[in-house]
Amino acid sequence: MLIPSKRKLKGRQERMENFGHGVTNDFAIFAPMISFFEASLKQISIHHTGNKLVEEYYKLSDAPLKIDDELLGNLLLQYFLKPFEKVNEVYRFYHPNDNLELNEVFHFVHEIFENNELFHEDSQQLAKHLYDVANHPKIKSGELYVAYFEKVQIEGEQLDVVGIFKSETKDTYLKVYPEQDGFNVSYEQEAININKLDKGCLIFNVEREEGYKVVVLDQSKSSNDSAVYWKDEFLKLKIRNDSYNQTNNVLGVYKNFVTQKLDDEYEISKADKIDLLNRSMKYFKEKETFDMEEFGNEVIGNAEGIESFKNYKKNYEEEYESPIADHFEIAESAVKKQARAYKSVLKLDKNFHIYIHGNKDMIEKGYDDDKSMNFYKVYFREEE
């Protein structure tokens, strides 16, 4: 039995303490291999949106921006697209009523893909929509850019893309230039740093019926309403449910189950927890497909523990409305990402760290009555 069957006196509780965002924070991130080496910027419109709660307004431009300078066009490509080389998950548009057409951004972007002559008009509608959902006093005003790109690649496929971006942070820049026999210095205030895109999303013209492929970026540091409005209120996105996310979610849920939930039900040492994590990672690295029954038997190895994990997974699925299949193909890239978050370190006070990579039978825990302290006994064949 890999999980001991001895219960704690407080018994079994099917509560979700420490579940919430703790699970999602443990999840690894997925880089969908976006590249733009052949991309071109075809159209761009710029508007300004304020915060109506502090009596700011929006200002719409009358026509798209004309870009005749090739260098400026290349700088805009870098500013808008380069941050997405290391984006997180692939998302899709959704609406709580299960009617995609009620999602405002999906609706206007769909119109742009269907009829490019509506590009600027729909960009104005997107600016108005962003202004309407900015219902937090700390939301910053800024420029909204709506752009149309060709030949942006995601997951090996080149596609047309509508990009929506917002710049909020302004910097001051110094400029040094030669003058007569020396140099002079000038400065420019309220300028935009092309290496710091505040918010953005790319909508790829593919899989429209499922809500398109969407990648999103938000550099906000906080987790309050001023930070989440971009993805949750303006765009209304949900994570795409594919083999990567299935793999990612199971590993994340299992890690939380071992590190947080097991203490509610079993007397289990940290060394045993590390062993359970190592066993799960070994399973995912060696298998091509995940099977819930097989995983439970090979990794958990205890009927009560298996049932407890199934219930924990079910609670996650209900909490996040994100079902996880009992059988799916394992995504190697997700396993590699999650492996970085799976810790095999046993920290003992501030004196020692023990790294456990294999057989847990080579380490024993005990208690010294004379010293009134815990100890670990470690067995090994040779010192390296």
Side-chain angles (χ1 to χ4, degrees):
M1 293 185 182
L2 304 182
I3 288 183
S5 58
K6 182 181 179 181
R7 295 295 183 101
K8 284 187 174 182
L9 293 177
K10 62 181 176 182
R12 181 176 184 141
Q13 299 179 24
E14 297 300 337
R15 63 183 183 273
M16 296 294 290
E17 290 179 356
N18 299 320
F19 194 82
H21 295 292
V23 174
T24 54
N25 288 340
D26 285 334
F27 290 165
I29 57 176
F30 172 35
M33 296 177 291
I34 293 175
S35 62
F36 54 95
F37 61 93
E38 292 186 61
S40 59
L41 175 60
K42 293 302 181 181
Q43 294 186 81
I44 179 171
S45 293
I46 304 176
H47 311 288
H48 182 89
T49 61
N51 187 325
K52 60 185 177 183
L53 292 185
V54 293
E55 297 184 351
E56 296 174 342
Y57 300 95
Y58 62 81
K59 181 176 177 57
L60 306 178
S61 59
D62 293 331
L65 179 68
K66 291 184 178 180
I67 302 176
D68 298 323
D69 187 323
E70 183 179 354
L71 176 58
L72 175 59
N74 290 334
L75 288 174
L76 288 173
L77 277 174
Q78 177 183 338
Y79 177 52
F80 292 139
L81 299 183
K82 188 172 179 58
F84 290 93
E85 288 180 324
K86 296 181 179 181
V87 293
N88 299 344
E89 297 89 353
V90 175
Y91 290 83
R92 299 194 187 280
F93 288 115
Y94 85 103
H95 192 273
N97 292 338
D98 294 325
N99 184 349
L100 269 174
E101 290 298 330
L102 296 178
N103 182 307
E104 292 88 344
V105 178
F106 173 87
H107 172 77
F108 295 126
V109 169
H110 179 218
E111 281 195 347
I112 292 172
F113 283 138
E114 291 294 309
N115 183 0
N116 204 248
E117 292 183 359
L118 297 174
F119 173 81
H120 185 71
E121 178 183 335
D122 283 328
S123 75
Q124 293 175 323
Q125 297 300 322
L126 289 167
K128 292 178 184 178
H129 173 52
L130 180 62
Y131 180 78
D132 287 338
V133 300
N135 293 318
H136 192 282
K138 291 186 178 181
I139 291 175
K140 297 178 181 179
S141 62
E143 288 73 39
L144 182 74
Y145 311 83
V146 181
Y148 194 96
F149 304 95
E150 292 181 350
K151 295 184 177 180
V152 182
Q153 186 177 109
I154 182 171
E155 298 174 336
E157 187 176 12
Q158 282 189 342
L159 299 163
D160 287 359
V161 168
V162 170
I164 307 172
F165 316 95
K166 188 184 179 192
S167 61
E168 299 173 339
T169 306
K170 303 296 191 300
D171 293 323
T172 300
Y173 290 92
L174 295 177
K175 181 179 180 180
V176 179
Y177 56 92
E179 184 177 87
Q180 296 178 351
D181 295 332
F183 296 89
N184 205 341
V185 178
S186 64
Y187 64 92
E188 184 174 357
Q189 293 180 307
E190 295 296 303
I192 296 172
N193 186 341
I194 64 169
N195 295 314
K196 293 182 180 179
L197 179 64
D198 290 305
K199 291 177 171 62
C201 74
L202 301 178
I203 302 113
F204 292 82
N205 190 12
V206 67
E207 300 177 6
R208 183 185 69 84
E209 298 298 325
E210 288 77 38
Y212 293 120
K213 287 183 181 180
V214 184
V215 292
V216 65
L217 180 76
D218 190 344
Q219 302 286 19
S220 300
K221 301 295 184 182
S222 60
S223 59
N224 57 31
D225 292 339
S226 66
V228 302
Y229 86 100
W230 177 256
K231 181 170 70 74
D232 296 342
E233 301 298 328
F234 174 58
L235 296 170
K236 291 188 179 71
L237 297 175
K238 65 178 180 180
I239 294 176
R240 180 183 62 174
N241 197 25
D242 58 9
S243 62
Y244 180 92
N245 284 302
Q246 297 278 11
T247 305
N248 202 35
N249 288 354
V250 166
L251 281 167
V253 170
Y254 180 75
K255 178 176 180 289
N256 251 43
F257 169 74
V258 171
T259 58
Q260 297 181 19
K261 183 66 175 177
L262 280 182
D263 286 334
D264 293 340
E265 305 181 15
Y266 301 96
E267 293 282 0
I268 184 169
S269 69
K270 289 185 178 179
D272 285 329
K273 287 183 180 181
I274 291 173
D275 180 62
L276 285 167
L277 294 177
N278 287 341
R279 287 177 178 273
S280 67
M281 190 54 62
K282 182 175 184 291
Y283 176 93
F284 275 88
K285 287 181 177 179
E286 294 180 351
K287 305 287 184 177
E288 293 184 356
T289 59
F290 172 85
D291 182 84
M292 185 63 214
E293 295 302 321
E294 179 185 67
F295 177 81
N297 293 329
E298 292 188 12
V299 176
I300 300 175
N302 174 282
E304 292 179 344
I306 293 171
E307 186 64 24
S308 178
F309 175 60
K310 287 181 177 179
N311 288 332
Y312 192 75
K313 182 172 81 75
K314 181 181 178 182
N315 286 335
Y316 165 85
E317 293 172 319
E318 293 174 352
E319 179 79 9
Y320 292 96
E321 298 180 356
S322 180
I324 301 173
D326 288 337
H327 187 89
F328 56 83
E329 291 186 7
I330 292 174
E332 183 180 354
S333 56
V335 176
K336 288 181 179 178
K337 290 285 185 179
Q338 276 283 9
R340 300 173 188 173
Y342 267 57
K343 305 299 183 184
S344 57
V345 183
L346 189 62
K347 297 181 180 180
L348 308 177
D349 298 332
K350 295 183 179 180
N351 297 316
F352 304 102
H353 286 179
I354 300 177
Y355 291 80
I356 304 174
H357 301 296
N359 187 358
K360 76 176 181 67
D361 293 334
M362 305 299 285
I363 182 170
E364 294 179 5
K365 184 177 182 180
Y367 185 80
D368 189 305
D369 291 323
D370 294 334
K371 294 181 179 294
S372 298
M373 296 179 71
N374 298 305
F375 68 83
Y376 276 100
K377 184 186 294 185
V378 179
Y379 297 91
F380 64 94
R381 289 187 173 84
E382 59 184 53
E383 187 174 340
E384 295 182 4

Short mmCIF file of all heavy atoms in Angstrom, two decimals, residues 274 278 344 355-359:
data_model
loop_
_atom_site.label_atom_id
_atom_site.label_comp_id
_atom_site.label_asym_id
_atom_site.label_seq_id
_atom_site.Cartn_x
_atom_site.Cartn_y
_atom_site.Cartn_z
N ILE A 274 6.58 13.01 -0.84
CA ILE A 274 7.54 13.17 -1.93
C ILE A 274 7.58 11.91 -2.78
O ILE A 274 7.64 11.96 -4.01
CB ILE A 274 8.93 13.52 -1.38
CG1 ILE A 274 8.91 14.92 -0.79
CG2 ILE A 274 9.99 13.42 -2.47
CD1 ILE A 274 10.19 15.30 -0.06
N ASN A 278 6.87 11.63 -6.73
CA ASN A 278 7.84 11.02 -7.64
C ASN A 278 7.23 9.88 -8.45
O ASN A 278 7.52 9.71 -9.64
CB ASN A 278 9.05 10.50 -6.86
CG ASN A 278 9.95 11.62 -6.36
OD1 ASN A 278 9.90 12.74 -6.87
ND2 ASN A 278 10.77 11.32 -5.35
N SER A 344 11.04 17.61 -4.79
CA SER A 344 11.42 16.37 -4.10
C SER A 344 12.40 16.67 -2.98
O SER A 344 13.32 15.91 -2.72
CB SER A 344 12.05 15.38 -5.09
OG SER A 344 13.18 15.98 -5.73
N TYR A 355 17.24 15.58 -0.67
CA TYR A 355 16.61 15.40 -1.97
C TYR A 355 16.30 13.92 -2.17
O TYR A 355 17.19 13.07 -2.13
CB TYR A 355 17.54 15.89 -3.09
CG TYR A 355 17.72 17.39 -3.10
CD1 TYR A 355 18.61 18.00 -2.21
CD2 TYR A 355 16.98 18.19 -3.97
CE1 TYR A 355 18.77 19.37 -2.20
CE2 TYR A 355 17.14 19.57 -3.96
CZ TYR A 355 18.04 20.15 -3.08
OH TYR A 355 18.19 21.52 -3.07
N ILE A 356 15.02 13.62 -2.37
CA ILE A 356 14.58 12.23 -2.53
C ILE A 356 14.18 12.00 -3.98
O ILE A 356 13.20 12.57 -4.46
CB ILE A 356 13.40 11.92 -1.59
CG1 ILE A 356 13.79 12.23 -0.14
CG2 ILE A 356 12.96 10.47 -1.75
CD1 ILE A 356 12.63 12.09 0.84
N HIS A 357 14.93 11.19 -4.68
CA HIS A 357 14.67 10.96 -6.10
C HIS A 357 14.19 9.55 -6.41
O HIS A 357 13.68 9.31 -7.50
CB HIS A 357 15.94 11.23 -6.92
CG HIS A 357 16.46 12.62 -6.78
ND1 HIS A 357 15.76 13.72 -7.19
CD2 HIS A 357 17.61 13.08 -6.23
CE1 HIS A 357 16.46 14.82 -6.93
NE2 HIS A 357 17.58 14.46 -6.34
N GLY A 358 14.37 8.63 -5.48
CA GLY A 358 14.04 7.24 -5.80
C GLY A 358 13.38 6.50 -4.66
O GLY A 358 12.39 6.95 -4.08
N ASN A 359 13.97 5.38 -4.29
CA ASN A 359 13.39 4.43 -3.34
C ASN A 359 13.25 5.05 -1.94
O ASN A 359 14.24 5.32 -1.27
CB ASN A 359 14.28 3.19 -3.29
CG ASN A 359 13.66 2.08 -2.47
OD1 ASN A 359 12.58 2.25 -1.89
ND2 ASN A 359 14.33 0.95 -2.42
#
